[in-house]
Amino acid sequence: MSRLRTILAVVALVLAGSLALATGASVIGGPADTLADDRVAIQPADGSNGDYAYLDADDELVVDVSASNPNLDGEFSGVNVNSRAVIGDVFTITYTAGETASVWIDHDVPGVSFVVADDSTAAGSDPDYRLIEGDEGDVTLAPNESVSVGLVVDTTDLDAVAGTITENQFSIHATVTEPDEEGDTVDSSGPSLTIDAPSRSERRFGASGAEDGDTVRFDADEMRLDDRNVTLDRLDLVGASAGSYDLAVAGSPEAIDEAGPLDADGDPRPLAYLSLEYDFDPMDVDGLRFLFSADSAFLAESETAPEAVTLYRLNDDGVWDELDAGLVDERLVELRDSPPDRTHFSATSDGFSTFAVAVHTPRIGAVEASIATDSIDVGESTTVEARVENDGGAAGDHSLTLTADGDSLATREVALDPGESTTVSFPVSIEAAGDYEVAVDDAPAGTLRVTDVATADGDQEGDGASSDGDAGDGGDAGDDTDASLDDTAEPADGPTEEPGGFGLRQAGGLSALLFIVVVSLLLARRAPGGS
């Protein structure tokens, strides 16, 4: 068996086994795994892909995509490794109670996704799929209505492992929704849509025949917001009331005149703007869902992390509010057959207005700096400290530069999350005497005075020798052109100190000399005469 046909060993999905009952549900015409007090029934789907599912001895549904599946012939060797396999219509979920319910699946097993046909798919075309995972992927089912669930097996996921998904890892949720008024019927065909494209950056959308609770999906077909760098791919009216809807949307890389440029906390960098015009009451819909994308090469060239891309809305008070935007799961991108060379995003808004696609950027820099001491000698060192903050909206790295009179002395690398701050220290030693203006980036730390001690001592000694020499060198003094030595100079104010005369030191020295002479004479007289 080739490596590309190695079996993805048994992947058996036991659906909510702790809630399963031993009896089938006759309402759906055949054996089924029933749960939630018989309100939900699950069973293999009709068609060939239904062979991947079967009921085990305990009447619990098992989905098995390995060669061990008893429904499959011996030639089936499992799912290819390093691939994604989309298997539609594997099992059905039927809501059997008398109310309308929202149904979705939760699980935490890597390498497996559950999908349903996207109801926005045009009639007669191959179905698109969407996730039925989490309450945001819920499907609304009327009493005794079913939905067919498919499977995506992703063997490129390094965390995907063989085994059984237990009831602790997998669950089906059914939440009762508000019932329709008595006598209402559900039209599954959906609203009629019209889409007009006056230009590459404009779309006019129309919908008629919408029913209460409908999600009206308009395909924008890569409407350009900033050429092909950023495009609007789809716009959904979520939770629409019954009626008709018309709206026009336009994109631009420049700010919309009526709204002005994006101005929000963290100084996000705008990529493109989107304006909406509509003739219906915004309260008639629960909200908007935007599907937009950016050219992946554009993001890479501009060093933009996909996680930093977001969407802002200008609220009624003229303030830009950030919306809950995020990356679209790549499995869903593949299921929708979206362009693989683009990075796809989704965002929701509960209001209509002007919108801006933007990028969170780091803003890291020194906000204040100080010197430990403002005076050192040549050869000594001191410390400069700087407080560094990131007041941008994204994590990032920054190189801090310590300067003296504008000349770089040292650099430090710092990495900070949004809103984070830290203190960075630089040891400083300067080899030339002088006064220096020290800063870290644009934050001044103060003036540092550097003194050369050896030079200072030498200057003092040199000054003393010169003074003595001048006093003893009459010729130099005579040649001096100083005005104080000129015969015509005015006498100095105040008393004049006379040169010469004896002080106490001179008198003491003379007395000592006389004493030595007298003693010497006395000793000479007393000495015995020679022979």
Side-chain angles (χ1 to χ4, degrees):
M1 183 184 302
S2 72
R3 295 185 60 186
L4 290 180
R5 295 297 300 171
T6 14
I7 296 173
L8 177 70
V10 180
V11 178
L13 312 178
V14 180
L15 307 187
S18 61
L19 297 176
L21 302 178
T23 59
S26 59
V27 68
I28 56 174
D33 183 4
T34 59
L35 52 142
D37 296 329
D38 284 346
R39 291 184 296 116
V40 175
I42 48 181
Q43 65 180 156
D46 294 333
S48 59
N49 286 349
D51 289 341
Y52 290 104
Y54 58 89
L55 296 179
D56 65 10
D58 296 322
D59 280 339
E60 293 181 349
L61 187 79
V62 175
V63 177
D64 189 348
V65 293
S66 76
S68 64
N69 187 325
N71 293 338
L72 304 177
D73 59 39
E75 295 182 1
F76 180 73
S77 56
V79 179
N80 288 347
V81 297
N82 198 30
S83 68
R84 290 188 181 95
V86 181
I87 309 171
D89 301 326
V90 174
F91 63 92
T92 60
I93 302 174
T94 302
Y95 188 69
T96 63
E99 308 93 350
T100 299
S102 294
V103 177
W104 70 92
I105 296 174
D106 272 340
H107 75 96
D108 57 2
V109 179
V112 176
S113 303
F114 295 94
V115 295
V116 294
D118 192 335
D119 56 12
S120 65
T121 302
S125 62
D126 292 334
D128 289 332
Y129 292 94
R130 67 174 182 85
L131 295 176
I132 188 177
E133 297 179 358
D135 55 0
E136 69 278 3
D138 68 317
V139 173
T140 300
L141 297 180
N144 296 326
E145 186 179 7
S146 299
V147 63
S148 184
V149 180
L151 189 70
V152 178
V153 179
D154 183 0
T155 59
T156 65
D157 192 332
L158 296 180
D159 294 327
V161 295
T164 300
I165 300 177
T166 68
E167 62 269 17
N168 294 326
Q169 299 170 292
F170 187 101
S171 58
I172 295 178
H173 298 266
T175 301
V176 175
T177 61
E178 294 182 5
D180 292 333
E181 295 182 4
E182 186 176 355
D184 284 353
T185 59
V186 177
D187 181 3
S188 61
S189 62
S192 298
L193 306 180
T194 60
I195 301 174
D196 184 29
S199 71
R200 292 180 176 180
S201 59
E202 295 177 283
R203 295 292 185 271
R204 294 174 184 169
F205 299 129
S208 60
E211 299 289 340
D212 283 339
D214 274 353
T215 295
V216 183
R217 295 180 173 90
F218 296 112
D219 184 0
D221 192 24
E222 296 188 22
M223 187 190 91
R224 300 187 179 186
L225 306 182
D226 176 20
D227 197 39
R228 292 198 72 255
N229 291 334
V230 183
T231 62
L232 176 67
D233 303 325
R234 200 176 85 189
L235 178 63
D236 298 345
L237 304 181
V238 181
S241 299
S244 299
Y245 298 89
D246 291 292
L247 69 161
V249 295
S252 172
E254 305 298 332
I256 308 299
D257 290 339
E258 296 79 5
L262 174 64
D263 183 11
D265 292 341
D267 197 21
R269 174 168 57 90
L271 297 179
Y273 294 86
L274 178 68
S275 64
L276 282 76
E277 296 181 2
Y278 47 91
D279 62 357
F280 55 86
D281 186 348
M283 299 301 294
D284 287 343
V285 298
D286 292 341
L288 294 169
R289 182 188 297 122
F290 298 91
L291 297 179
F292 60 100
S293 64
D295 180 61
S296 299
F298 163 73
L299 296 180
E301 290 169 2
S302 60
E303 298 182 348
T304 299
E307 295 78 10
V309 176
T310 187
L311 188 69
Y312 283 84
R313 171 184 174 262
L314 186 67
N315 68 24
D316 295 338
D317 297 325
V319 177
W320 290 95
D321 292 330
E322 185 176 5
L323 303 179
D324 184 14
L327 286 164
V328 175
D329 191 300
E330 64 178 21
R331 295 169 295 177
L332 191 54
V333 170
E334 182 175 336
L335 291 174
R336 290 174 176 164
D337 198 25
S338 300
D341 59 344
R342 302 186 66 79
T343 304
H344 299 266
F345 307 90
S346 175
T348 58
S349 172
D350 58 3
F352 291 69
S353 183
T354 299
F355 299 85
V357 179
V359 176
H360 285 307
T361 58
R363 293 180 56 193
I364 302 175
V367 294
E368 61 181 9
S370 61
I371 311 177
T373 177
D374 59 4
S375 178
I376 60 173
D377 294 334
V378 171
E380 293 183 338
S381 65
T382 186
T383 300
V384 174
E385 286 192 346
R387 186 165 64 88
V388 186
E389 293 182 352
N390 180 6
D391 60 0
D397 303 329
H398 179 70
S399 180
L400 295 166
T401 301
L402 173 70
T403 60
D405 288 346
D407 295 328
S408 176
L409 298 181
T411 59
R412 290 284 187 277
E413 298 297 324
V414 62
L416 294 175
D417 290 330
E420 189 179 8
S421 64
T422 190
T423 299
V424 177
S425 297
F426 294 86
V428 180
S429 178
I430 300 178
E431 299 302 322
D435 291 341
Y436 297 89
E437 296 301 322
V438 178
V440 178
D441 283 356
D442 295 327
T447 302
L448 177 64
R449 173 162 290 180
V450 181
T451 305
D452 189 337
V453 177
T455 301
D457 292 344
D459 288 344
Q460 292 175 0
E461 292 174 1
D463 291 344
S466 174
S467 176
D468 293 343
D470 290 345
D473 189 351
D476 290 342
D479 294 337
D480 198 337
T481 58
D482 184 31
S484 64
L485 300 179
D486 196 322
D487 292 340
T488 62
E490 296 287 338
D493 294 337
T496 302
E497 182 180 352
E498 294 292 340
F502 286 116
L504 291 176
R505 182 178 299 178
Q506 288 86 350
L510 180 59
S511 299
L513 178 61
L514 291 175
F515 176 80
I516 293 171
V517 171
V518 171
V519 171
S520 299
L521 292 175
L522 289 176
L523 292 175
R525 284 188 174 189
R526 293 182 180 183
S531 55

